[in-house]
Amino acid sequence: FRNTPHLRNIEVTEFTPANLNQAKTVFHLHGYLDDPTSMVMTTRDYITRYANDRAGGNPKNENRTLTFLSHLFQEKTVLFIGYGLEDLEILEYVIQKGRMSAPGQEIQARHYMLQGYFSHELELMRSLSQYYMQTDIQLVPFLLDHKDWPQLVEVIEKFAELMPATGLLNLQRQMEMEAMLD
C-alpha cells in the first residue's frame, strides 16, 4: 500500500481523529515494510507503542496512538484483516487500550475480523467467534479448503464489490451530529 498513488499513507505522528475522515487513507499502525524502523515487531515495541501515558492528564505525555485508537473504536467501524491466532493477545491489548471510555458510556460493537479457516477447524472458528464477541468484534470466517490464503484476496474483492466506498453512512452521520450536541 505504501507506494500506491491514490492512497494517502498516515504514520504515527499523524494519528489524529481528524485524519480518520480522510478518504482513501491507510493508517500504518505497526509500521510498513519500506521503513523497517517504523515497524512494531517485538514485545518491547508493542509496550512502547501502547504505553498508557494518558492517566496523568499531561498533554506532553499524551500517547497519540492510544488517543487515536480510542476515537477510532468509539466512533468508527473497523475491519481487521491479517490477524492470526498468534496475534490474539496483541489484538485484545490493542482493543482494551483503545476503548477507554467515559464511565457509564456504552461501547457499541461495530468491529469485524476476516479470519480464514480450514473445514477441520470449524469448532475452533465457533470458539473464536464467541471469544471475539467478548472484545466487541464479530468474526467473519471464510473457508480456505480450496484456495488456501489466496482466497483472502477474493474475499476482499467481494467485500469491495458488495460494499463500495461511499460517504458516511446515515447512522454514522447521525452519531457524529449527536456527539456535537453533547
Side-chain angles (χ1 to χ4, degrees):
F1 289 115
R2 188 72 188 148
N3 294 317
T4 308
H6 61 278
L7 292 177
R8 180 157 184 250
N9 295 284
I10 302 290
E11 300 176 27
V12 175
T13 56
E14 299 176 287
F15 282 1
T16 63
N19 279 333
L20 277 173
N21 295 325
Q22 299 282 331
K24 297 183 181 181
T25 303
V26 175
F27 292 88
H28 295 277
L29 188 61
H30 295 147
Y32 50 93
L33 290 174
D34 291 349
D35 181 8
T37 62
S38 72
M39 295 183 73
V40 177
M41 302 277 292
T42 67
T43 302
R44 182 179 300 272
D45 293 339
Y46 279 97
I47 290 171
T48 301
R49 177 64 51 96
Y50 297 106
N52 189 357
D53 296 321
R54 297 187 296 180
N58 184 345
K60 291 181 182 180
N61 294 332
E62 176 190 11
N63 183 324
R64 190 177 296 260
T65 301
L66 294 180
T67 302
F68 172 79
L69 289 175
S70 179
H71 182 80
L72 174 71
F73 293 133
Q74 289 178 22
E75 303 295 329
K76 303 294 181 181
T77 298
V78 178
L79 173 64
F80 294 96
I81 302 172
Y83 279 85
L85 292 176
E86 61 277 0
D87 300 317
L88 287 178
E89 289 179 354
I90 294 166
L91 179 64
E92 184 175 9
Y93 185 71
V94 170
I95 294 290
Q96 294 299 328
K97 287 290 188 177
R99 67 176 182 181
M100 295 176 68
S101 60
Q105 182 180 6
E106 183 180 326
I107 300 170
Q108 296 179 1
R110 295 186 316 260
H111 311 305
Y112 304 89
M113 178 185 288
L114 282 178
Q115 181 68 49
Y117 75 100
F118 294 97
S119 56
H120 70 275
E121 298 174 313
L122 182 59
E123 286 305 315
L124 175 61
M125 274 301 105
R126 288 180 179 152
S127 296
L128 283 174
S129 291
Q130 292 174 355
Y131 170 80
Y132 284 121
M133 285 308 286
Q134 294 173 16
T135 58
D136 301 325
I137 298 172
Q138 181 177 335
L139 191 66
V140 180
F142 62 94
L143 199 58
L144 296 170
D145 286 354
H146 302 292
K147 296 183 181 178
D148 209 332
W149 284 103
Q151 180 72 29
L152 177 60
V153 174
E154 291 181 24
V155 170
I156 293 172
E157 288 173 348
K158 190 66 174 176
F159 265 96
E161 179 184 315
L162 295 173
M163 298 178 292
T166 61
L168 290 175
L169 299 173
N170 288 337
L171 178 61
Q172 183 70 36
R173 243 188 228 123
Q174 179 182 344
M175 288 172 45
E176 289 180 4
M177 285 188 201
E178 288 174 0
M180 285 191 275
L181 294 174
D182 289 338

